[in-house]
């Protein structure tokens, strides 16, 4: 039971939005084109969602390289977040790896009106999750590494791009706008946001100044 939809627009955000608009089921999962999931992933996450009455279930993942794999175990055991702000603190810690669209089973009714920002091309996952999570009353983490993130040297985030900084700046401003109210109330989250920005400044620095494709 697979429906293939051809997208007249380009970009991962428009593709995901088109999928959400055409989805028929009670839950939605995103999966990037070069990644894959374990054959029992949907069953495990759905069982967890039903048991916890969760709006979102987030799983661990494996990072697959050409010669080996590394399990990225943020959740040592199944976890329940106290609220969406508790999850947000993890999202703003980039190395926690929970700010991606993939690796999540999401109750479809919570994101019917929450679409990805098609003006963004970098860090669009985190910006989307920062908005979508505000619709989730119950968020749980599943200890199973069910998604395989395939490390690709030619992926969009690793190619040299002279507009890299501008694209990231646009995303950081969008996240700041999404979180301005909660940051005004919680200085800890504000601090985490600026750590989040600083991490991406380092990514910009590495991409622009140390990238082998930058001949200048």
């Amino acid at each position: 039971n697979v429906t293939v939809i051809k997208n007249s627009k380009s970009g991962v955000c428009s593709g995901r939005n088109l999928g959400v608009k055409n989805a028929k089921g009670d839950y939605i999962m995103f999966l990037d084109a070069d990644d894959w999931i374990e054959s029992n992933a949907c069953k495990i996450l759905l069982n967890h969602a039903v048991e916890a009455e969760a709006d979102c279930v987030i799983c661990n993942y494996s990072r697959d390289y050409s010669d080996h794999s590394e399990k990225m175990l943020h959740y040592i055991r199944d976890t329940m977040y106290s609220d969406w702000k508790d999850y947000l603190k993890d999202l703003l810690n980039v190395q926690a790896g929970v700010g991606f669209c993939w690796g999540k089973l999401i109750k479809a009714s919570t994101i019917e009106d929450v679409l990805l920002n098609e003006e963004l091309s970098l860090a669009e996952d985190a910006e989307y999750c920062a908005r979508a999570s505000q619709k989730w009353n119950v968020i749980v983490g599943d200890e199973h590494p069910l998604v395989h993130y395939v490390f690709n040297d030619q992926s969009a985030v690793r190619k040299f791009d002279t507009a890299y900084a501008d694209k990231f700046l646009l995303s950081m401003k969008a996240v700041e706008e999404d979180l301005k109210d909660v940051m005004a109330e919680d200085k800890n989250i504000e601090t985490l946001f600026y750590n989040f920005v600083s991490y991406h400044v380092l990514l910009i620095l590495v991409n622009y100044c140390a990238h082998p494709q930058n001949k200048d």
Side-chain angles (χ1 to χ4, degrees):
N1 295 322
V2 175
T3 301
V4 178
I5 304 169
K6 291 187 177 181
N7 189 11
S8 59
K9 296 181 180 180
S10 63
V12 65
C13 289
S14 66
R16 285 174 174 156
N17 286 341
L18 189 62
V20 169
K21 290 174 184 177
N22 285 274
K24 305 295 184 186
D26 295 328
Y27 294 88
I28 287 174
M29 284 184 68
F30 296 105
L31 183 66
D32 286 357
D34 50 355
D35 299 339
W36 59 283
I37 58 175
E38 294 288 335
S39 60
N40 60 349
C42 294
K43 181 178 180 179
I44 290 175
L45 294 178
L46 180 59
N47 286 342
H48 203 157
V50 171
E51 181 181 334
E53 298 183 352
D55 297 315
C56 179
V57 183
I58 309 168
C59 65
N60 284 320
Y61 67 98
S62 293
R63 185 176 288 171
D64 292 3
Y65 299 90
S66 58
D67 57 349
H68 72 286
S69 295
E70 296 177 4
K71 290 183 178 180
M72 313 303 289
L73 301 176
H74 178 64
Y75 304 110
I76 305 302
R77 60 187 64 83
D78 290 349
T79 302
M80 180 171 286
Y81 289 99
S82 59
D83 55 26
W84 74 271
K85 294 178 185 177
D86 192 23
Y87 159 72
L88 179 64
K89 293 173 183 177
D90 265 1
L91 182 151
L92 293 173
N93 175 14
V94 180
Q95 291 169 309
V98 302
F100 303 111
C101 288
W102 50 262
K104 293 176 173 62
L105 183 76
I106 305 170
K107 188 177 288 185
S109 60
T110 66
I111 56 171
E112 288 174 338
D113 301 322
V114 186
L115 297 176
L116 284 97
N117 185 340
E118 296 184 19
E119 294 182 2
L120 306 181
S121 57
L122 291 172
E124 75 284 346
D125 287 63
E127 192 279 329
Y128 174 75
C129 290
R131 282 186 289 115
S133 61
Q134 298 180 44
K135 304 285 187 178
W136 302 335
N137 294 316
V138 180
I139 307 169
V140 297
D142 188 287
E143 65 177 339
H144 297 89
L146 300 174
V147 177
H148 289 259
Y149 174 85
V150 179
F151 190 87
N152 179 6
D153 289 334
Q154 300 304 312
S155 67
V157 295
R158 293 185 182 86
K159 289 183 178 179
F160 176 66
D161 185 352
T162 55
Y164 203 69
D166 292 334
K167 291 177 180 179
F168 258 128
L169 181 61
L170 190 65
S171 294
M172 296 300 103
K173 286 183 175 179
V175 175
E176 184 177 34
E177 179 64 23
D178 297 336
L179 302 180
K180 63 180 182 181
D181 291 338
V182 68
M183 287 196 293
E185 298 171 359
D186 190 329
K187 293 303 178 183
N188 183 35
I189 290 178
E190 183 182 47
T191 298
L192 290 171
F193 168 73
Y194 286 115
N195 289 341
F196 174 80
V197 173
S198 299
Y199 181 92
H200 287 91
V201 169
L202 289 175
L203 289 182
I204 293 168
L205 184 66
V206 170
N207 180 271
Y208 193 85
C209 298
H211 202 290
Q213 293 176 10
N214 184 4
K215 304 306 180 183
D216 296 326

